[in-house]
Amino acid sequence: MSVIAILAGLAPILIALLSLSGLISAAETSMTAASRGRMHQLEREGDRAARRINVMMADQEKMIGAILLSNNVINIGASALTTLALSTAFPGPLGALIATGVMTVLIVIFAEILPKSLAIARADDVARALSIPTYWVVRIFGPLANGAQWVVRQTLRPFGVNLSMETDVLAAHEEIRGAVEYHHSEGLVEERDRRMLGGVLDLSDMDVSEVMVHRMSISMIDADLPPAEVVTAMLASAHTRVPLYRGDAENIIGVLHAKDLLQAIADSGGKMDKLDVAQILREPWFIPDTTNLKDQLNAFLKRQSHFALVVDEYGALQGLVTLEDILEEIVGEIDDEHDSAIQGVRRQPDGSVVVDGSVTIRDLNRAMDWDLPDDDAVTVAGLVIHEAQTIPKIGQTFIFYRHRFQVVKRVRNQITTLRVSAPLDANAHALES
């Protein structure tokens, strides 16, 4: 048989196999590169192709295994067929060498680079277009792929490598965070949106102790005061819910709501001497300081309450947290007509800030767009004490994390006011003067 006849008979089969291999390569790339969010949205809108993609992506390891297995079967079969045909036309090693060179070029260009380049450029559209053939590939080769994965696990187990099918939720969060950071760097996500999305992801990693109002800053009212003085104190407060204590500030007996107080005044005809404050108090809700923000947010929504008192493991009052405090971790400061723009942070003409020691590091970072760490301390004063390993005196200055911290005011052992400089030169080192 002549070489031309052999090539003429081989060409249609080879084109068919390479085309099939290219489609499978495109399917593999498009399925993994397709937007999961868009596929879920399309499925909710009734798109069947998106539904098939989501079903296959639910077991991504099986899908990729089946695609790779089928693609290798086709490529190996095409190479073997070409080698057999060319060995007949060119006896000896020459035929095998020609077949290897020809198939390497054809497979790399037409079955790998070309289809995968197209799939990356139009991942969502290609994935939806190839969802039906990919589904049947997974149905046919899926059991074989599972068998191959079992062999791989058993082979790696003696070496201490244990592969699990479970999804790593933290890895998923980091993937989302990475995508947000990337699109922000490309200018596609605004800074405010970046912080909001990051705030949602951070809720599970933060405890209420990191956002609560410290007990030293809680506005309280003595329950033993005359009703008229309680009303006056409530009007002087910037809050609609205020804890009431009896005897000791740790002994919280209830929470007074401004609306309940207003209703009681109306019911008494405006006569303060008839007002029984104890009857309108709401039962205080105590929560542990180790509660993470995500759980507390769900608890607020379930209980339909926006106010909780935070206690430590011994039951001692540590502070209070509100629904607004948690929402501010997502959307930033929520100011109303009774709030100052940035409480406890006063900008100076030289770029530094005079900040209250009780201001949280997270709030200062958001207000000034800084990046001070909050892993070892919650407040600015706590950060200085942690880094200095002592309680500084008034006037002492420290430099760390590219900022200069100067103690301006101290009450007993509590740092109440500091001056924090704008970021210094990167060569600045920790100093004390």
Side-chain angles (χ1 to χ4, degrees):
M1 185 179 294
S2 66
V3 175
I4 296 178
I6 292 175
L7 294 178
L10 177 63
I13 300 175
L14 198 56
I15 291 173
L17 291 176
L18 289 175
S19 299
L20 189 57
S21 177
L23 288 175
I24 295 175
S25 295
E28 175 196 356
T29 301
S30 62
M31 291 292 170
T32 54
S35 169
R36 298 293 298 275
R38 183 162 184 257
M39 291 301 110
H40 284 293
Q41 179 61 35
L42 290 174
E43 181 181 358
R44 285 193 292 268
E45 295 173 0
D47 190 291
R48 294 184 179 180
R51 182 178 181 279
R52 283 190 292 269
I53 293 171
N54 291 333
V55 169
M56 289 185 286
M57 290 299 293
D59 192 350
Q60 189 172 5
E61 187 174 355
K62 177 182 177 180
M63 180 193 72
I64 294 177
I67 291 175
L68 291 176
L69 184 59
S70 62
N71 208 8
N72 278 295
V73 168
I74 293 172
N75 290 340
I76 292 172
S79 298
L81 183 61
T82 303
T83 301
L84 179 61
L86 293 180
S87 295
T88 303
F90 303 96
L94 181 59
L97 290 174
I98 295 175
T100 300
V102 170
M103 289 308 299
T104 299
V105 172
L106 293 178
I107 289 175
V108 169
I109 294 178
F110 296 103
E112 292 292 332
I113 297 178
L114 191 151
K116 289 186 176 183
S117 298
L118 175 61
I120 290 175
R122 303 289 297 273
D124 292 352
D125 295 335
V126 173
R128 292 172 62 236
L130 298 179
S131 63
I132 293 178
T134 306
Y135 175 80
W136 283 107
V137 167
V138 174
R139 286 287 299 272
I140 296 171
F141 288 92
L144 296 176
N146 286 337
Q149 291 160 9
W150 181 85
V151 172
V152 170
R153 289 191 178 91
Q154 299 307 312
T155 303
L156 294 177
R157 192 180 300 276
F159 300 97
V161 180
N162 295 317
L163 301 179
S164 174
M165 294 288 288
E166 296 179 357
T167 300
D168 187 347
V169 176
L170 292 179
H173 280 192
E174 290 306 312
E175 182 179 349
I176 295 173
R177 194 188 306 276
V180 172
E181 292 295 336
Y182 170 75
H183 289 299
H184 171 67
S185 66
E186 294 292 316
L188 302 176
V189 175
E190 295 181 0
E191 175 65 21
R192 182 176 179 83
D193 294 336
R194 167 178 167 264
R195 291 190 177 185
M196 288 175 61
L197 294 169
V200 172
L201 297 175
D202 288 340
L203 290 184
S204 298
D205 301 326
M206 298 179 62
D207 296 337
V208 292
S209 60
E210 298 181 55
V211 302
M212 69 182 183
V213 177
H214 192 269
R215 64 176 181 270
M216 300 294 292
S217 303
I218 298 178
S219 299
M220 298 185 186
I221 298 176
D222 188 349
D224 292 329
L225 291 175
E229 294 186 28
V230 172
V231 173
T232 301
M234 192 67 186
L235 290 174
S237 174
H239 309 288
T240 57
R241 299 173 181 84
V242 177
L244 266 67
Y245 68 93
R246 176 164 286 131
D248 185 353
E250 293 277 338
N251 183 30
I252 304 294
I253 64 170
V255 178
L256 181 61
H257 196 296
K259 187 174 181 180
D260 296 334
L261 180 61
L262 183 62
Q263 183 63 51
I265 293 174
D267 292 341
S268 67
K271 299 179 180 178
M272 297 298 180
D273 56 334
K274 293 184 178 181
L275 193 62
D276 188 353
V277 176
Q279 292 298 317
I280 60 175
L281 291 181
R282 301 194 180 194
E283 182 180 357
W285 178 18
F286 296 97
I287 62 172
D289 57 2
T290 55
T291 306
N292 73 56
L293 295 189
K294 182 179 179 182
D295 291 341
Q296 188 56 40
L297 176 60
N298 291 332
F300 276 142
L301 298 176
K302 182 177 180 180
R303 185 163 175 154
Q304 296 182 337
S305 177
H306 297 175
F307 185 100
L309 296 163
V310 182
V311 296
D312 63 13
E313 57 183 318
Y314 303 106
L317 181 67
Q318 298 298 303
L320 67 84
V321 64
T322 67
L323 178 62
E324 181 178 316
D325 293 327
I326 299 179
L327 293 179
E328 285 180 342
E329 289 305 308
I330 302 174
V331 302
E333 287 297 317
I334 303 174
D335 298 324
D336 59 25
E337 59 273 18
H338 297 289
D339 293 330
S340 58
I342 305 176
Q343 293 185 347
V345 178
R346 297 170 289 281
R347 300 173 187 262
Q348 303 301 307
D350 61 356
S352 65
V353 293
V354 174
V355 57
D356 293 347
S358 59
V359 170
T360 65
I361 300 169
R362 193 173 179 84
D363 286 343
L364 180 59
N365 284 339
R366 286 188 167 184
M368 303 303 297
D369 197 22
W370 290 348
D371 192 27
L372 292 170
D374 58 358
D375 298 327
D376 299 310
V378 175
T379 64
V380 180
L383 178 63
V384 172
I385 292 173
H386 173 77
E387 294 296 331
Q389 295 297 303
T390 185
I391 300 177
K393 299 178 182 178
I394 295 177
Q396 278 192 289
T397 300
F398 302 88
I399 297 178
F400 45 81
Y401 303 115
R402 297 180 56 227
H403 292 268
R404 179 182 290 106
F405 295 79
Q406 182 182 18
V407 179
V408 176
K409 187 176 181 182
R410 171 180 150 181
V411 178
R412 294 187 293 276
N413 291 329
Q414 182 181 3
I415 300 176
T416 57
T417 308
L418 301 105
R419 179 187 292 270
V420 185
S421 74
L424 304 173
D425 183 84
N427 296 323
H429 299 288
L431 301 172
E432 179 179 352
S433 60

